[in-house]
Amino acid sequence: MREPALTEYVDTNRRRILEVLETWLQIPSISADPERAGAVVESAELVAEQLREARFEHVQLLPTGGGSGAPAVYGDWLHAGPGAPTVVIYGHHDVQPVDPLDEWTSPPFAPVIVDGEMRARGAIDDKGQVLYEIEASRGLLEARGSLPVNVKFLIEGEEEVGSPHFEALLTERRDLLACDVVVVSDTGMIAPDVPSTTVGMRGMVSFDVSLRTARLDLHSGMWGGTVPNAADLAATIVAALHDGDRRVTIPGFYDRVRPLTPREQASLDAQPFDEAKFRAQAGDVGFLVGEKGFGALERVGVRPTAEVVGIHGGYGGPGIKTIVPAAAGFKVALRLVPDQDPGEISAAFRAWLADQVPAGVELTVTAEGAVAPALTPIDHPSVGALTTAIERVWGKPPLFTREGGSGPEEALGRVLDAPVLFLGVGLPGDRIHAPNERMVMDQFWRGLLAAGELLIELGSLVQFGGAR
Amino acid sequence: MREPALTEYVDTNRRRILEVLETWLQIPSISADPERAGAVVESAELVAEQLREARFEHVQLLPTGGGSGAPAVYGDWLHAGPGAPTVVIYGHHDVQPVDPLDEWTSPPFAPVIVDGEMRARGAIDDKGQVLYEIEASRGLLEARGSLPVNVKFLIEGEEEVGSPHFEALLTERRDLLACDVVVVSDTGMIAPDVPSTTVGMRGMVSFDVSLRTARLDLHSGMWGGTVPNAADLAATIVAALHDGDRRVTIPGFYDRVRPLTPREQASLDAQPFDEAKFRAQAGDVGFLVGEKGFGALERVGVRPTAEVVGIHGGYGGPGIKTIVPAAAGFKVALRLVPDQDPGEISAAFRAWLADQVPAGVELTVTAEGAVAPALTPIDHPSVGALTTAIERVWGKPPLFTREGGSGPEEALGRVLDAPVLFLGVGLPGDRIHAPNERMVMDQFWRGLLAAGELLIELGSLVQFGGAR
């Protein structure tokens, strides 16, 4: 039984909410662009203002990286009473760059609604999803005078540049952010008629590998065929990273991969999958590849992978240059799944790599960061609350999906020691990080209602309360 | 029995010859640098002046490429009488760039003699070797009043940029350049006490290969593990180009490779080889590689090879970018030996490549030129003349070597339909194309004497004469 007051709130406030969204989407808060630093702060201030108007307290911009990073925004409402759980709601207010600009059918920072879609950079990633969370709390507060749980908003400003200061922020502000559950609104679902929620995200360890076989490039006529070729060696190592079944050859790589539970497997098997559509969305790829014995959804979500991000060595200009390259390198991102351990996998990769490189070659390996895989146990009562909330709004319970990517959510769960729920209304065609990003407005309004339902459901979970 | 008049000429003219060499080495005739075009012309004019002073006739600059290229220099002396053979002497007057400049111990265009070595860009490659040829003719003409053979000098100005107009020049001027034998002075020998001469040069076909697997790079979190990775595919193809024995896997690649004759094999086996020295000269490479069953000298000279000149795909900047690269490419140079055919090998490479690339990947292959392998038959009488000339000066007959590289010499032999002799005094430590290029002056003076002896020996070969 859905909360009628929230439906009524949406009806009454629709125009104002849209105006806020459009105003916000006009702010070019591109965190990757130093020239947009002012716009990112302006965006943070708009979030703060919306939180204040919603009657949140302790609203403040949280500087990051000693002031060198874009600020996050914090605000809380902590009057749910004794025993009520505390929820941290996470999103981000910065956006991706807009290149290539000439592929946009309307300017990225001039939001328009066409065919029921809001078109603008940041529409779905993540301003729209932050706004429905704020409005859900505001609606419940206006209708009921209180919230069923304590709520703390944490809206980051550096997500699109890899959240470089986020874990430090969480660690420093751990007391301020103490909570029982985290709700992340920065993901998607399979389709409007196939609601789903993310329960896992792959982790990642990545490396830059440099190889040097001689002091300088050598003339391929004078030396070719006798001296080691760094570009050839780099290619050989990259090729050796997978076997003929596209399994990663690093010894022990799969040892700790946790099999899916029957319920997880059933949910995954229930997901619709249209290969032609999937390939088209990937940019018209001609075929799919991947680890033998698994389907595309498993390969992208529940299986670990090794992806070569780049390989470079030798001459790359026009025509030909008759050299034996002396230096080459590659970058590789290993996506991890539960219970692979970033430290263990890093060590295994380094050991495997050392075996591939003959003595006499200068090898330099630089770790480019490590994120553990994250998994929300689907039997946790908070997942039940989310399931109920989604079912109330979309008419059927969500399927459980895994995201292939890694984000700041892993740090949220780990540092705050709380389960992480993913309420996300994005759709596969939303073109995030690409020209013509959109948000389907029906999904936005449903997200608002579901966000409210989730707070109500979480409030009814007595087993949460009192611990903090 | 050496020509005493030439020894006397050297003694008398030593100072003047050195002055000419130093003047010439001060001209920065870098053909790769458009800003040095004037210097290349100045260098050509110096050659022309030296030819005129030596009493050569029809001395002229030959424009190349419709005037877009640096000029070659021509001059002849055609009064050897009926039945005397005609010799084209080839060299080049342009030089390599000088980067990295800060590694030179003295300025590249301020020639100095230190420890019996002339140090300057172009000292050995190829101004020194052109000058001893001119001076050998001049010396014989001054001492005897005539030359034993007709001599035509052809001194190119674009060798260091790959002789882009050379074959067209040869074809257009075929009548002017008609000859019985070509003498090339642009190579080296094993050591001062191990004289050698080149009898073969590897040919080459080279390709630029581009692969595209999707329209744009994809996010490795969302797609990694399911979509084809262009960088991975490029690496896999490059790795597949050789088997575990470092044999090239292109079907039919070795079919036409002509085995060495017993005399060729014996000469090759007699060559000294110091692996530690070879590796140091290669820029401190840690080890040698190559086709199983062959030594380094065979691998570099008499065996065909496939050398990856460069491979590039995906992200190459600092840190990591979590993409699945949509495009990648590589360049490969296949070095050919007699009797491999460039057309046949090109077709075999393209067929092999097509087999490596799955349907649905956009493949673009661009041929970057083809040069046939060249071989001077060591039983040809003119090779006997060269052997005698070298033995008279260095005290022992030369070993027969093969050069790993390809040059304009192949076109010379083919277009002019004449055997090509290589009289070269370069040494392995001469640092051609590198900082601190040098010429050992003892080798220069010996080259001058040998060049004269060679003309005398060629003049005694009656079977040559009269044909033209």
Side-chain angles (χ1 to χ4, degrees), chain A residues 231-242 246 308 310-312 329-330, chain B residues 209 211 229-242 308 310-313 327-330 352 356:
Chain A
D232 193 289
L233 180 60
T236 303
I237 294 171
V238 166
L241 197 49
H242 292 90
R246 291 298 294 176
V308 174
I311 180 169
H312 292 277
F330 61 91
Chain B
V209 177
L211 303 161
N229 176 325
D232 193 288
L233 179 59
T236 303
I237 293 171
V238 166
L241 196 50
H242 293 89
V308 174
I311 182 168
H312 291 277
F330 61 91
W352 172 85
Q356 310 299 312

Side-chain angles (χ1 to χ4, degrees), chain B residues 206-213 230 233-234 237 312 326-332 349-350 353-354 357-358 360-368:
Chain B
S206 53
F207 300 92
D208 179 279
V209 177
S210 294
L211 303 161
R212 177 168 285 282
T213 51
L233 179 59
I237 293 171
H312 291 277
F330 61 91
K331 294 172 192 283
V332 62
F349 173 75
R350 285 174 183 273
L353 183 61
V357 177
V361 174
E362 196 180 305
L363 167 68
T364 313
V365 187
T366 309
E368 298 288 356

Side-chain angles (χ1 to χ4, degrees), chain A residues 1-3 385-397 450 453-454 456-457:
Chain A
M1 172 65 201
R2 231 150 75 184
E3 170 61 71
L386 178 63
T387 300
T388 303
I390 290 175
E391 183 169 9
R392 283 218 186 105
V393 176
W394 274 271
K396 42 178 114 161
E453 295 296 327
L454 177 57
I456 293 167
E457 285 303 311

Side-chain angles (χ1 to χ4, degrees), chain A residues 53-116:
Chain A
E53 287 193 11
R55 292 211 279 144
F56 274 72
E57 300 165 335
H58 308 111
V59 175
Q60 57 193 293
L61 305 200
L62 301 178
T64 59
S68 66
V73 188
Y74 175 85
D76 60 34
W77 188 96
L78 303 176
H79 309 293
T86 299
V87 180
V88 161
I89 298 175
Y90 168 85
H92 63 91
H93 66 87
D94 62 323
V95 301
Q96 276 278 316
V98 295
D99 300 324
L101 196 56
D102 58 6
E103 292 188 17
W104 288 79
T105 54
S106 59
F109 299 111
V112 285
I113 296 180
V114 181
D115 297 337

Side-chain angles (χ1 to χ4, degrees), chain A residues 43-321:
Chain A
S43 168
E45 282 165 353
L46 182 144
V47 174
E49 185 194 327
Q50 292 304 311
L51 286 171
R52 277 187 210 102
E53 287 193 11
R55 292 211 279 144
F56 274 72
E57 300 165 335
H58 308 111
V59 175
Q60 57 193 293
L61 305 200
L62 301 178
T64 59
S68 66
V73 188
Y74 175 85
D76 60 34
W77 188 96
L78 303 176
H79 309 293
T86 299
V87 180
V88 161
I89 298 175
Y90 168 85
H92 63 91
H93 66 87
D94 62 323
V95 301
Q96 276 278 316
V98 295
D99 300 324
L101 196 56
D102 58 6
E103 292 188 17
W104 288 79
T105 54
S106 59
F109 299 111
V112 285
I113 296 180
V114 181
D115 297 337
E117 301 172 10
M118 176 67 83
R119 296 196 183 153
R121 171 58 84 229
I124 188 70
D125 181 20
D126 185 38
K127 290 174 176 173
Q129 304 215 59
V130 169
L131 187 62
Y132 70 63
E133 289 285 357
I134 296 175
E135 288 295 332
S137 285
R138 181 170 174 170
L140 287 180
L141 273 169
E142 288 193 8
R144 301 172 154 212
S146 73
L147 294 176
V149 291
N150 299 310
V151 173
K152 300 173 174 181
F153 272 89
L154 176 64
I155 308 304
E156 196 194 353
E158 296 186 307
E159 201 271 349
E160 298 295 4
V161 289
S163 302
H165 308 108
F166 190 64
E167 183 166 341
L169 178 74
L170 292 179
T171 305
E172 279 164 32
R173 306 285 184 153
R174 199 191 315 238
D175 292 341
L176 181 71
L177 297 167
C179 65
D180 301 289
V181 62
V182 175
V183 174
V184 168
S185 279
D186 188 24
T187 53
M189 51 176 51
I190 296 169
D193 59 346
V194 189
S196 63
T197 181
T198 299
V199 292
M201 302 194 110
R202 289 196 289 193
M204 184 168 81
V205 290
S206 53
F207 299 92
D208 180 278
V209 177
S210 294
L211 302 161
R212 178 168 283 282
T213 51
R215 267 189 292 111
L216 295 168
D217 292 341
L218 292 163
H219 189 284
S220 73
M222 294 175 64
W223 305 99
T226 56
V227 292
N229 176 324
D232 193 289
L233 180 60
T236 303
I237 294 171
V238 166
L241 197 49
H242 292 90
D243 66 15
D245 292 336
R246 291 298 294 176
R247 278 176 68 86
V248 177
T249 56
I250 300 167
F253 188 69
Y254 295 97
D255 284 0
R256 289 192 191 269
V257 175
R258 191 201 296 187
L260 296 187
T261 65
R263 198 173 157 212
E264 286 172 322
Q265 185 70 53
S267 185
L268 194 143
D269 292 343
Q271 291 182 36
F273 180 71
D274 180 336
E275 182 178 320
K277 204 167 158 188
F278 185 88
R279 282 167 41 188
Q281 281 165 356
D284 298 327
V285 300
F287 54 96
L288 298 181
V289 293
E291 190 186 353
K292 194 173 172 180
F294 296 91
L297 293 177
E298 287 165 297
R299 287 166 177 171
V300 87
V302 306
R303 299 299 299 173
T305 59
E307 208 66 59
V308 174
V309 166
I311 180 169
H312 292 277
Y315 183 65
I320 202 86
K321 196 173 167 187

Side-chain angles (χ1 to χ4, degrees), chain B residues 272-341:
Chain B
F273 180 71
D274 178 336
E275 183 179 319
K277 206 167 158 188
F278 185 87
R279 282 167 43 189
Q281 280 165 358
D284 298 326
V285 301
F287 54 96
L288 297 181
V289 294
E291 188 185 353
K292 194 174 173 180
F294 296 91
L297 292 177
E298 288 165 298
R299 288 166 176 172
V300 87
V302 306
R303 299 298 299 171
T305 58
E307 207 66 59
V308 174
V309 166
I311 182 168
H312 291 277
Y315 183 66
I320 202 88
K321 196 173 165 187
T322 50
I323 56 166
V324 180
F330 61 91
K331 294 172 192 283
V332 62
L334 307 176
R335 296 279 178 177
L336 309 183
V337 301
D339 295 317
Q340 287 177 302
D341 176 73

